[in-house]
């Protein structure tokens, strides 16, 4: 396969909904493929121009599908402008640039008529189900009815967890494709405790990284941890304010202000992805303080792979998808979770624990994921 049309709600540099489409597309680009990446959300589109400065993206054409103007196709990168040849709609672009297959990373309702047309023309569709969309409080990408249509149209479906595989509609060609860690990120972190900075006067550092505004973040658990382990230092890195696309009206800045008031808590706003490396390299334990419900039981937390890749033990609420991962300890209640924070941190890990973590993470990179994806798509071509 040489040409791939990628449909995404967010553009590739959005930390949340853009990360998985971005990482898979990077692997495609490394394999010499041309990628047309089309996003729907207008959020922070100016960021995308940064892709022009990296030679890796010279074959990535990033476009915005502007629903406010009836679906006008707006080139966002240099290669997109070259590819478009004046085309102002996706239909016009595809009249001259035929993809080998289409990969959609969300149940994007606006593309259904086009997908029906392309499928009739023999272009396979792979639907990559990144989340349990029906459990989101706000769903700007499309309705549950739209997702059902994607299941019906797709020649194959990839999804992030066994929980989701088991709940796929009967008769769907579904495959497990969990999240992963990029080789670039993995090479930058200090794996298995090597090269760690000196212990800061014995203070144990607890790290959370990721969005802090969604309703699956357990604020009460975060407060409980900080209150009950005052000698530990907690760092929370991520946005505490929802994007306009997914704002459900909760005033999370007030919840964040309460957490920031603890003397042993630091709140850091969202940083570029690679900037997380320095924080991971200073931490002793990574945490995943999520409410346990259908949405989180269905998830494949990106951060768990990055914690393990950095050699960090992980303390998480009882998420079944990750409970069997090496370095992960789950707790059934707040008391258990706080006790798990007392376990040995990265500096005290056994050699065997480090070997287990390294073996696991070597099998869970985006390269391995795209190897599997290529096999799935290859069977469709």
């Amino acid at each position: 396969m040489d040409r791939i049309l990628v449909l995404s709600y967010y553009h590739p540099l959005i930390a949340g909904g853009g990360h998985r489409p971005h990482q898979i597309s990077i692997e495609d680009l490394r394999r010499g493929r041309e990628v047309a990446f089309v996003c729907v959300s207008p959020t922070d589109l100016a960021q995308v121009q940064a892709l022009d400065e990296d030679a890796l993206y010279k074959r990535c054409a990033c476009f915005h599908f502007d629903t406010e103007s009836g679906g006008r196709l707006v080139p966002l990168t240099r290669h997109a402008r070259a590819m478009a040849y004046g085309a102002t709609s996706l239909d016009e672009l595809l009249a001259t640039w035929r993809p080998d297959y289409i990969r959609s990373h969300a149940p994007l309702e606006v593309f259904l008529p086009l997908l029906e047309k392309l499928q009739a023309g023999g272009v396979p569709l792979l639907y990559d189900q990144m989340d349990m969309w029906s459990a989101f409080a706000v769903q700007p990408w499309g309705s549950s009815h739209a997702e059902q249509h994607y299941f019906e149209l797709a020649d194959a479906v990839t999804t992030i967890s066994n929980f989701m595989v088991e709940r796929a509609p009967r008769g769907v060609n579904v495959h497990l494709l969990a999240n992963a860690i990029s080789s670039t990120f993995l090479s930058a972190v200090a794996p298995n405790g090597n090269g760690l900075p000196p212990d800061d006067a014995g203070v144990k550092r607890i790290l959370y990284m990721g969005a802090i505004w969604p309703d699956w973040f357990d604020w009460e658990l975060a407060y409980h941890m900080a209150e009950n382990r005052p000698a530990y230092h907690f760092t929370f890195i991520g946005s505490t304010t929802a994007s306009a696309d997914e704002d459900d009206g909760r005033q999370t800045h007030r919840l964040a202000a309460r957490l920031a008031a603890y003397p042993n808590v630091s709140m850091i706003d969202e940083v570029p992805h690679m900037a997380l490396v320095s924080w991971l390299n200073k931490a002793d334990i990574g945490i995943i303080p999520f409410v346990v419900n259908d949405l989180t039981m269905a998830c494949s937390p990106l951060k768990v792979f990055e914690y393990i890749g950095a050699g960090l033990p992980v303390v998480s609420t009882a998420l079944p998808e990750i409970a069997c991962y090496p370095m992960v300890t789950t707790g059934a209640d707040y008391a258990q979770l706080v006790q798990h924070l007392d376990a040995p941190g990265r500096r005290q890990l056994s050699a065997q624990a480090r070997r287990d973590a390294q073996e696991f993470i070597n099998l869970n990179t985006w390269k391995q994921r795209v190897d599997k994806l290529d096999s799935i798509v290859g069977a469709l071509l």
Side-chain angles (χ1 to χ4, degrees):
M1 66 197 80
D2 297 316
R3 294 179 169 184
I4 303 169
L5 173 62
V6 175
L7 304 178
S8 172
Y9 183 71
Y10 290 113
H11 72 68
L13 298 183
I14 293 288
H19 187 83
R20 179 179 170 101
H22 186 197
Q23 292 301 322
I24 294 176
S25 295
I26 284 174
E27 290 299 327
D28 285 324
L29 293 169
R30 285 175 174 159
R31 296 172 195 215
R33 296 162 185 165
E34 188 173 37
V35 174
F37 193 109
V38 181
C39 67
V40 173
S41 171
T43 300
D44 293 335
L45 290 178
Q47 288 185 39
V48 183
Q49 296 173 12
L51 299 182
D52 281 337
E53 307 307 314
D54 190 331
L56 174 64
Y57 298 94
K58 65 183 180 181
R59 293 176 62 82
C60 180
C62 198
F63 297 90
H64 177 225
F65 185 84
D66 186 0
T67 57
E68 294 296 317
S69 63
R72 185 169 64 94
L73 194 65
V74 181
L76 301 175
T77 59
R78 188 179 300 122
H79 190 58
R81 291 187 288 276
M83 181 193 290
Y85 296 113
T88 58
S89 73
L90 194 50
D91 280 296
E92 289 178 359
L93 174 69
L94 295 176
T96 56
W97 188 86
R98 178 185 168 92
D100 294 307
Y101 88 97
I102 308 157
R103 185 172 68 240
S104 182
H105 292 280
L108 298 155
E109 203 156 1
V110 294
F111 292 127
L112 283 172
L114 174 68
L115 293 175
E116 290 173 347
K117 177 181 175 181
L118 289 171
Q119 191 184 53
V123 181
L125 167 65
L126 182 136
Y127 172 46
D128 181 49
Q129 188 185 39
M130 300 196 305
D131 274 298
M132 179 176 273
W133 300 115
S134 60
F136 278 68
V138 179
Q139 302 170 34
W141 36 80
S143 64
S144 56
H145 171 74
E147 183 167 50
Q148 181 57 40
H149 205 159
Y150 269 81
F151 281 128
E152 293 167 356
L153 284 173
D155 298 281
V157 172
T158 49
T159 193
I160 55 172
S161 64
N162 287 292
F163 186 93
M164 296 293 276
V165 169
E166 293 165 2
R167 285 157 182 77
R170 183 169 297 179
V172 170
N173 177 19
V174 63
H175 305 265
L176 174 64
L177 201 76
N179 283 322
I181 186 171
S182 79
S183 55
T184 302
F185 196 89
L186 182 58
S187 66
V189 293
N192 300 329
N194 297 324
L196 287 173
D199 194 359
D200 184 10
V203 175
K204 182 176 276 190
R205 302 178 185 89
I206 313 298
L207 175 67
Y208 171 83
M209 55 189 200
I212 310 177
W213 57 264
D215 57 3
W216 61 78
F217 183 85
D218 193 336
W219 291 97
E220 292 300 326
L221 174 55
Y223 304 148
H224 188 83
M225 286 179 164
E227 287 173 4
N228 285 274
R229 289 299 181 268
Y232 298 170
H233 190 83
F234 294 81
T235 300
F236 294 85
I237 303 176
S239 175
T240 59
T241 304
S243 67
D245 307 67
E246 298 183 62
D247 191 350
D248 60 5
R250 291 178 307 118
Q251 297 184 340
T252 48
H253 65 281
R254 295 182 179 180
L255 300 170
R258 177 182 165 188
L259 184 56
Y262 288 97
N264 58 334
V265 169
S266 296
M267 302 288 288
I268 309 297
D269 201 2
E270 183 180 322
V271 301
H273 187 235
M274 289 304 294
L276 293 170
V277 168
S278 63
W279 294 97
L280 283 161
N281 286 347
K282 291 185 289 187
D284 296 293
I285 289 178
I287 57 172
I288 304 179
F290 285 178
V291 175
V292 178
N293 55 25
D294 278 359
L295 180 58
T296 56
M297 287 193 292
C299 77
S300 173
L302 285 158
K303 60 185 64 60
V304 75
F305 299 99
E306 294 173 346
Y307 288 155
I308 297 172
L312 282 180
V314 182
V315 173
S316 172
T317 45
L319 306 181
E321 203 64 27
I322 66 172
C324 63
Y325 289 3
M327 308 276 279
V328 174
T329 305
T330 61
D333 55 35
Y334 287 7
Q336 270 193 4
L337 289 161
V338 168
Q339 288 175 0
H340 291 330
L341 296 179
D342 299 334
R346 173 165 44 173
R347 292 170 178 82
Q348 293 80 39
L349 286 176
S350 69
Q352 185 60 54
R354 293 174 181 175
R355 284 194 295 270
D356 290 345
Q358 192 64 51
E359 181 179 348
F360 171 83
I361 212 65
N362 287 343
L363 296 174
N364 286 275
T365 66
W366 287 114
K367 179 183 182 301
Q368 272 75 37
R369 297 295 186 261
V370 175
D371 285 345
K372 181 174 181 178
L373 187 60
D374 283 356
S375 176
I376 294 166
V377 174
L380 306 177
L381 298 177

